[in-house]
Structures are given as C-alpha cells and as structure tokens.
Amino acid sequence: MQVALPRIPITAAGRRLTLLARRSLIPLLGVAAFLIFWAGAARSVETSLGTFPGPAEVWSQAGNLWQEHLRERSRETAFYERQQARNDSLAARDPDAPIRWRDYTGKPTFFDQIATSLSTVAVGFLLAAAVAVPLGIVCGLSEGFYAAVNPVIQVFKPVSPLAWLPLVTMVVSAVYVSDDPLFEKSFVNSAITVALCCLWPTVINTTVGVAGIDRDLVNVSRVLKLAPLTHVRKVVLPAAVPMIFTGLRLSLATGWMVLIAAEMLAQNPGLGKFIWDEFQNGSSDSLGRIMVAVIAIGLVGFALDRLMLALQRRVSWDKQAILR
Amino acid sequence: MNSYLEFSRIGKSFGTDDGVFEALTDVSLAVDQGEFVSLIGHSGCGKSTLLNIVAGLEPATTGGAILEGREIREPGPERAVVFQNHALMPWLSCYDNVALAVKAVFGGRRDKADMHDWVMHNLELVEMAHAAQRMPHEVSGGMKQRVGIARCLAMEPKVVLMDEPFGALDALTRAKLQDSLMAIQARLEATVIMITHDVDEAVLLSDRIVMLTNGPSATIGDVVHVDLPRPRSRLELAEDPAFNHCRRRVLDFLYAARVPEPAAGGAPWRDDVGPREAADADGAGREAAAPGDAPRHSGRDRAA
Ligand SMILES: Nc1ncnc2c1ncn2[C@@H]1O[C@H](COP(=O)(O)OP(=O)(O)OP(=O)(O)O)[C@@H](O)[C@H]1O
Ligand SMILES: [Mg+2]
C-alpha cells in the first residue's frame, strides 16, 4: 500500500538552509548540550574551594581576567607617561642630569601568559622542526642510517617531558651562562623540553614520506643524474611534503600539550604557571580561573592545528588528499 | 661485434626468500643506430628487467650492455626512459616536468631562453604545448604519457627506452600516440627499444621484434624482421600480406610459448578474436605486471 506523501518542493533557498543547519546548527546544539550537562554536573561537585564552577562562573571569570588585563595595561601606560614626564622635566632643568629609564614590572596577566606560552611553543617547535626534517630526510634516504638511529628514536619517543626537564634544567644552567641573557633560563628550559618532545612525530613521518617516494620518480632523478642536493630539493622534499606536514601537525599538538606541564615545573611564565599559581592561591575564584585557562588551552591548540592545516593546504601539491 | 648497442650475454638473478631466482640468461642482441626494436614476451618473463639493465638502473648479474663500445654501469640521460605510468612529478606542471630534465641535461651549456625554446619545442612535438602550464592531475592519461615522451626526447638521448609506454591507454589514444611516435622517430632517427604487449603495435612500429621465452631463465626465443617500407600507414598495412605474416609469426611464437600442446585442428586461436587479445594471454607471472595493463586482459578467456 502506498501512502501519498505531500511533496515538499526543495528550493535553492531551502537547500541552503539545510546546509546551514548541518554546518552550524548541529555543532551549536552539541555545544549547548555539553554546557547544560556541565552546569548540571558542576553543581553536584563540592571541593574544598567551593562548588565546581559551571559555565556561568567560568564566563564571569573570563570577564574578570579581561578586566584585570585592561587595568594592568592602563597602569603600564600611566607608568611610562609618568616616567616620560619626570625625565623630560629633569632634562629641561639640567641637560647633563643622569636619566634613568625603567621597565614596567607589573604582574603578567592571563593574556600575557598566553602570549608567553605561544612564543615558547613556537621556539621549541621551530627548533624541533629544524632538526627533525633534515634528520627524517636522511633516515628516509639511507636505510643504513635509519637502522642505526632507529633504536635511539624508539627509546626516546615515549619519554615524558617531565623526565627530561630536570636534566635540561641542569644542562642549561651549566651551558647557558651570560650576564645579559637574551632569554630567561626558564624560557630556554621549557622551549628545549618542548623541542625534545615534538621532535619524534616529524622525524618518523618525514622518514616514512621520504622512504615511500614512488620508485619511478627516483629513477627519473637517476636517469637525469641529479646531484644529491638537487635530488633532495627537486624530488625528495616536494614528494615528502604531505607526510612532513602530517608530522609537523602532530608535533605542534604534542608540543602544546607538553608545554603546559613544562611550564608548571619550570616555573616559566605561561599558562602552565598561571594554573599552578591559581592552584596554590586557593581562593574561591581559583577553580573558575583555572577552568578559563583549560578552555583557552583547548582553543589555542585548536587554532594552532587549523593554522598548520591551512599552511599544509598552501604548500602541498596533493590537493586531492583529504585533510582533516 | 662493433654494433651500436649490444646486449652481451646478459643474465640476471634475484635473491629471493626461497633461493636465487634466475630471471634472464644469456640474452645477446646487437642493435643498430636508428633501429626500432620491440621486446615482446609474456608477463613476468623479464622484459622490464632487461630494459632496466640497459638503462643502467639495475646491474646485470652476468654479461652486460654495451653502448658505443662502453659498458653501461649507471643510468644517464643519453639512455632516456619512458616509464609505463608516465612518472611525471605530480607537483610540477607539464612544462616544469620537461624543464627539470632540460635543466639537468643542458644547464650551464645553454642559456635560459634557449632552454625555454627547447622545452616548448619538445612539447610541440607531442602536441602538448597548449597544456604546458597544466598540472599532471589536470590532464588525461594520454596527455601525461605524451609529456613523459617529451621529457625523454628533450634529453636528446642516444637511445630511447620505453617500458609499455602506451599500456595504460585506450585503443584510440594508443593509435594516435603510435602515429606521432612513428613521425617523431622518422624525424629524429632515434634508436628505440620498446617493450609492448601489443602485437599490432610491435609490427607497426618496429624494424625488429625480439621475442623472449617464458621465465624463469628467459632468453631470446626468436627475432622477427619487419621489412615494411616507411612511412607506414596502419590502414594500408591491415591488408598487407607482409604485415599479416609478421603478426602471425609473433602470435605463433607467443601462443606456442603459452600452450605446449596445441589444440587439434590447426591454429589454437579463433580467427574472429583480435590478435591483441591472443597476444595478451598471460603467463603465470601475472603479479609482476603493472596495474595499468590489467584492463586489456579482459578478452583472454575468449582467446583461449
Ligand atoms: N627485485 C626483484 N626481486 C625478485 N624478483 C624480481 C625482482 N624484480 C623482478 N623480479 C622477477 O623477475 C621476473 C621478471 O620481472 P619483470 O618485471 O622484468 O617482468 P616483465 O617481463 O617486465 O613483466 P610485465 O610484462 O608484467 O611487466 C618476474 O618473475 C619477477 O617476479
Ligand atoms: Mg614490466
């Protein structure tokens, strides 16, 4: 038996609406459901610092952190204006007077901490990439070399950053001695720890990418008698770019995760230290502020991944590859 | 003895998990300058191996190939290869693929404008100048193969080595490319060694057809001289008794090599089945074949 269904004409506008729904409505619904669940669950968790913060408390804490940031900035401007005025009047009275310029030494705000964390991860990641990509290329090109370094890679790959940190700290304080250091020692410690941990995904993926180059393409290069460096530049590198970027994306994600732990331990200014300080503070606002940091860490990590993806899309020749 | 290109008792063995596998033994052949030689034989008999030895991409186990009195030890642009699956760099445009070869071979000896002209000249030769700036994934299989041929010719090779250059193409495209290859060869008088599975193609293009016996330990089973005047036209040749005689000889060889005891009643193939299908009836080494030539084997059950 056939039931006559009313035919709904699907117009172009209607189709666009369905597409809009699928693209944004459904994810929004998912987020809303999560927020409701969070709000409900948070109320029933009692800690020594009060109830676990729900979305509303976290939102208001985020507002507070922003206000603190603005206040701190205006204080800084005021400080520099006062200093400028003082020094100007000093110079006007006596041109030879010793004029001193001081840097503002306020407490870094939450947003300053995010910036610090970003620069630390950037330095660590670039350091790692600068070592990992060439190392991976050599590993992929030479089976013998790969066999030689593979055991080392396999053993160091699963090592947690926290195990490295004390060693890195000791080595850095022994080696990195300078009266006027360009970078804080704690910054160098975290950056190197991050680098050590995000080395491996790039090394391994680059190796796989280089070793897996189509044999015909390698044979073309051999027939053309390309010089080794030209071979790497014109054939190996472009062929392996998709895999190199897969590795770099994994590395950056690892690096960002590792960084928070490293900052907590190294007492390097940054999001990790922010969380640690709030934890030590133990005020009634602390949990809410930590939760803001947690969400910020997630959002920044997500943004970094998208950034790498966009970069990969730009440089990769393999436009058909499905990139997620 | 003093031939242009000589295969001197070439033998090749591979070490495999279950012992040494002897693919080729005692392959000897003398090729004249400007000659067009086809290699034909069942799948897995060692044609690609032989071509790779001549290209210098693989060393022979015994014997060797000699070009102009010098033993071939390594690959080089004077023995350019056209690969079965075009082997274009997917990140370079058609133009840049040819330019890569031109720069590698002539860089430092010719100036920029000269090299550009040479790249374009070779693309024009294969009628691909109009798509020079397109990427390989934006052009058809036949066009990619043309660019591969342009890249090969742009190296100004002494010997052109082609491994089933038209294997992955449909019959019409293949016919077109065969015609342009004949025209180009007539102009450049290049020495060509081409692997093919297609009997018609071999007879149409070659001066000589070298037939390899089935592996393991494959060697040259027979050589057919194709004494047909050039330029050749495929339409006129279809009626030509000399053409059909050559075709028949190659088919006889291939078929005898495949079925030891011929069926009763003369020719083991049915006459209404095209020679291509019969020629494609493959041996046991199917797994060694490149994926591109799979579609052409669909008719083999009818042929057998
Ligand atoms: N690297 C290798 N190691 C072991 N055996 C190999 C190797 N390369 C080729 N062979 C074997 O040598 C034989 C000849 O291979 P080859 O690729 O030359 O065949 P072919 O005649 O080109 O076949 P097709 O027509 O299918 O391309 C095959 O049996 C193959 O299995
Ligand atoms: Mg082959």
Side-chain angles (χ1 to χ4, degrees):
Chain A
M1 201 186 84
Q2 195 108 43
V3 183
L5 289 168
R7 280 170 57 97
I8 304 165
I10 300 172
T11 57
R15 212 172 303 130
R16 223 175 303 138
L17 216 66
T18 354
L19 202 70
L20 193 75
R22 199 165 313 142
R23 287 251 180 85
S24 53
L25 211 60
I26 295 174
L28 276 179
L29 279 177
V31 172
F34 169 73
L35 288 178
I36 291 167
F37 167 78
W38 174 14
R43 229 173 293 147
S44 52
V45 181
E46 281 295 333
T47 73
S48 59
L49 296 177
T51 1
F52 193 85
E57 289 91 324
V58 170
W59 179 249
S60 72
Q61 283 306 329
N64 285 350
L65 285 169
W66 180 241
Q67 288 308 323
E68 276 171 34
H69 178 70
L70 292 182
R71 237 176 289 137
E72 194 63 29
R73 273 300 98 81
S74 62
R75 245 183 252 150
E76 185 182 346
T77 350
F79 170 84
Y80 281 120
E81 272 167 7
R82 259 182 283 125
Q83 174 164 278
Q84 182 78 42
R86 193 170 51 238
N87 285 338
D88 282 352
S89 65
L90 215 72
R93 259 182 281 138
D94 175 11
D96 301 326
I99 289 177
R100 270 190 311 199
W101 296 99
R102 273 205 213 87
D103 280 341
Y104 180 70
T105 50
K107 184 170 158 286
T109 68
F110 177 66
F111 294 92
D112 296 334
Q113 307 277 41
I114 293 181
T116 317
S117 284
L118 278 175
S119 60
T120 317
V121 85
V123 169
F125 171 71
L126 291 178
L127 212 65
V131 176
V133 172
L135 184 66
I137 288 176
V138 178
C139 282
L141 286 177
S142 155
E143 256 174 65
F145 185 80
Y146 179 64
V149 296
N150 192 36
V152 182
I153 294 177
Q154 297 303 333
V155 167
F156 284 138
K157 195 175 55 144
V159 174
S160 152
L162 310 180
W164 280 120
L165 196 64
L167 299 175
V168 172
T169 310
M170 295 318 288
V171 172
V172 166
S173 28
V175 176
Y176 187 69
V177 252
S178 116
D179 296 332
D180 181 26
L182 189 58
F183 303 108
E184 295 285 338
K185 259 189 194 145
S186 59
F187 174 86
V188 176
N189 290 340
S190 328
I192 290 180
T193 309
V194 166
L196 282 173
C197 292
C198 59
L199 215 53
W200 314 119
T202 304
V203 171
I204 291 166
N205 278 283
T206 306
T207 306
V208 171
V210 170
I213 300 176
D214 186 351
R215 232 193 38 195
D216 277 355
L217 297 186
V218 176
N219 280 341
V220 169
S221 169
R222 289 176 63 200
V223 166
L224 290 174
K225 282 189 164 174
L226 295 184
L229 265 182
T230 322
H231 173 63
V232 167
R233 235 163 18 94
K234 298 276 177 172
V235 180
V236 172
L237 213 52
V241 150
M243 282 302 274
I244 291 176
F245 264 87
T246 306
L248 287 176
R249 266 176 78 197
L250 283 173
S251 279
L252 190 55
T254 314
W256 182 242
M257 260 204 269
V258 158
L259 176 74
I260 307 302
E263 283 174 343
M264 281 190 187
L265 243 86
Q267 289 296 298
N268 179 43
L271 281 171
K273 184 166 172 351
F274 174 86
I275 292 176
W276 189 252
D277 289 348
E278 288 298 333
F279 177 58
Q280 297 296 322
N281 251 353
S283 82
S284 58
D285 289 341
S286 286
L287 289 184
R289 292 158 77 92
I290 291 176
M291 202 59 206
V292 175
V294 166
I295 292 169
I297 289 167
L299 288 177
V300 170
F302 178 66
L304 288 177
D305 193 58
R306 291 287 119 168
L307 197 77
M308 287 301 290
L309 193 65
L311 201 64
Q312 178 170 16
R313 285 226 176 87
R314 271 195 76 96
V315 298
S316 180
W317 45 269
D318 198 0
K319 305 286 181 206
Q320 276 107 326
I322 306 146
L323 302 173
R324 284 174 194 278
Chain B
M1 195 67 254
N2 290 327
S3 49
Y4 184 67
L5 171 64
E6 192 180 336
F7 300 8
S8 169
R9 314 198 63 177
I10 291 175
K12 177 77 186 178
S13 302
F14 294 104
T16 61
D17 290 340
D18 27 50
V20 174
F21 174 79
E22 190 180 47
L24 295 169
T25 34
D26 220 6
V27 177
S28 293
L29 183 74
V31 180
D32 291 330
Q33 188 163 15
E35 198 178 8
F36 195 120
V37 175
S38 288
L39 289 177
I40 203 162
H42 285 290
S43 184
C45 70
K47 304 180 294 294
S48 297
T49 308
L50 187 59
L51 201 79
N52 283 343
I53 290 169
V54 180
L57 293 167
E58 265 180 66
T61 313
T62 56
I66 299 156
L67 176 64
E68 292 187 312
R70 249 173 303 173
E71 193 186 341
I72 292 163
R73 291 175 182 282
E74 52 170 18
E78 82 275 5
R79 281 162 284 118
V81 184
V82 176
F83 295 89
Q84 174 162 15
N85 286 311
H86 58 80
L88 298 181
M89 312 280 166
W91 54 88
L92 295 179
S93 66
C94 295
Y95 177 93
D96 287 332
N97 263 290
V98 180
L100 177 70
V102 170
K103 273 182 209 143
V105 177
F106 302 108
R109 275 193 286 148
R110 295 191 187 178
D111 65 37
K112 261 201 177 139
D114 224 20
M115 289 200 285
H116 167 79
D117 292 346
W118 182 238
V119 171
M120 288 316 288
H121 169 79
N122 281 285
L123 284 170
E124 270 155 29
L125 218 52
V126 295
E127 292 165 36
M128 277 298 292
H130 64 284
Q133 292 312 324
R134 290 218 235 148
M135 300 302 282
H137 68 87
E138 294 169 337
V139 302
S140 71
M143 289 160 96
K144 279 188 270 234
Q145 205 53 271
R146 282 168 203 250
V147 178
I149 293 171
R151 174 174 66 188
C152 163
L153 296 175
M155 300 177 208
E156 283 192 333
K158 291 175 179 163
V159 181
V160 174
L161 304 169
M162 302 202 269
D163 192 346
E164 289 190 59
F166 314 131
L169 306 176
D170 64 279
L172 268 177
T173 313
R174 204 183 320 168
K176 264 182 105 173
L177 284 187
Q178 286 163 356
D179 288 340
S180 32
L181 180 62
M182 265 195 293
I184 291 167
Q185 210 247 343
R187 253 172 78 181
L188 304 179
E189 294 181 346
T191 309
V192 182
I193 297 176
M194 178 180 78
I195 294 176
T196 179
H197 275 126
D198 182 336
V199 179
D200 277 4
E201 176 174 283
V203 178
L204 178 69
L205 297 176
S206 322
D207 299 312
R208 260 193 304 166
I209 303 172
V210 172
M211 296 175 283
L212 294 179
T213 60
N214 280 354
S217 305
T219 188
I220 294 177
D222 200 359
V223 178
V224 173
H225 286 263
V226 184
D227 283 323
L228 293 168
R230 291 179 187 272
R232 297 171 183 170
S233 141
R234 69 177 66 244
L235 291 177
E236 285 163 27
L237 284 180
E239 313 280 288
D240 192 318
F243 175 84
N244 284 312
H245 172 74
C246 290
R247 209 178 78 170
R248 187 64 167 241
R249 274 190 64 191
V250 178
L251 285 173
D252 275 340
F253 176 87
L254 289 175
Y255 222 85
R258 175 169 157 73
V259 190
E261 66 283 58
W269 63 82
R270 297 213 320 257
D271 254 334
D272 55 334
V273 174
R276 184 163 299 146
E277 282 91 338
D280 276 355
D282 58 5
R286 189 62 235 153
E287 72 281 354
D293 51 1
R296 285 187 293 120
H297 289 267
S298 50
R300 79 165 190 255
D301 292 332
R302 274 193 300 138

